[in-house]
Amino acid sequence: MTAGIRSAGARVRRRLRSLAVGELVNVPLQAAVWFGVVGVPVTAANILGFALVTLLLLEGAAYWTVKLRALSAGGAAPLPGASVFAAARVANLVLLGLGVPLTVLAVADAPGTGTIPGLLFTLFAVLEHVNYFHTQLMYDTPEDRRGRRRNGRRRAHLARDLERARKLRTAQPSADGASRP
């Protein structure tokens, strides 16, 4: 029984490590593919969209790394740096809220390869934000897909961790001994 638990824990840690590394590798890989191999022009709209995707990929890598470290240290504590991720969730809304209309306007003004990829990158960044901070959109393992078929969509891992951290923070007594609101 203990060996099974240990091997499951090792699988989870390998998966988290793979997710963190994958997000980091994707930044230069996607830049090389889109701007190098495919030849997407380096324009303001395309760079803006790609920068938003990069931001979300880096946030994802940071989350999986922090989650891995927390699980390796015992995993019962709230997510380390939860307040940073909560702030990123709000900042992302502002950045994406500016990025979407700016890239839409760029496409409306000059449709083509100088703008459309930027809009697509921006929309992908929106999906990444939803996937991390709200609802899990990626179901890329057989276990994930089985769970999706059985239970439908579920809240994203980071969203659940942020909610758990918020509940723990509000349940802690304040200096006068009362619970925080």
Side-chain angles (χ1 to χ4, degrees):
M1 177 72 170
T2 305
I5 292 171
R6 242 183 278 136
S7 66
R11 270 195 314 275
V12 168
R13 285 190 297 280
R14 273 194 309 274
R15 175 78 175 138
L16 293 176
R17 193 173 300 110
S18 170
L19 289 167
V21 169
E23 300 290 48
L24 289 174
V25 167
N26 258 305
V27 172
L29 176 66
Q30 294 299 321
V33 167
W34 292 110
F35 294 105
V37 176
V38 174
V40 168
V42 179
T43 63
N46 291 343
I47 293 299
L48 173 60
F50 192 78
L52 291 170
V53 169
T54 298
L55 173 67
L56 270 293
L57 290 173
L58 293 175
E59 289 173 359
Y63 169 65
W64 296 123
T65 301
V66 167
K67 182 81 171 175
L68 173 62
R69 288 185 180 160
L71 288 176
S72 296
L79 180 70
S83 60
V84 174
F85 289 107
R89 178 176 51 197
V90 173
N92 287 348
L93 294 177
V94 172
L95 295 171
L96 293 169
L98 292 170
V100 170
L102 286 173
T103 54
V104 166
L105 287 171
V107 169
D109 184 50
T113 58
T115 58
I116 292 172
L119 175 59
L120 295 175
F121 290 142
T122 301
L123 295 176
F124 184 71
V126 169
L127 291 174
E128 281 290 297
H129 176 80
V130 170
N131 186 55
Y132 275 115
F133 291 97
H134 300 286
T135 302
Q136 184 176 343
L137 300 176
M138 292 295 299
Y139 295 87
D140 55 345
T141 66
E143 183 180 316
D144 279 345
R145 288 189 293 276
R146 277 192 301 277
R148 164 85 165 87
R149 280 191 300 276
R150 196 171 34 251
N151 305 315
R153 292 206 185 277
R154 66 181 185 180
R155 293 198 63 208
H157 291 277
L158 178 53
R160 287 182 274 159
D161 282 341
L162 290 176
E163 180 65 17
R164 190 171 22 254
R166 186 191 63 76
K167 285 179 180 176
L168 287 170
R169 190 176 58 252
T170 57
Q172 292 175 349
S174 62
D176 64 5
S179 289
R180 293 180 190 165

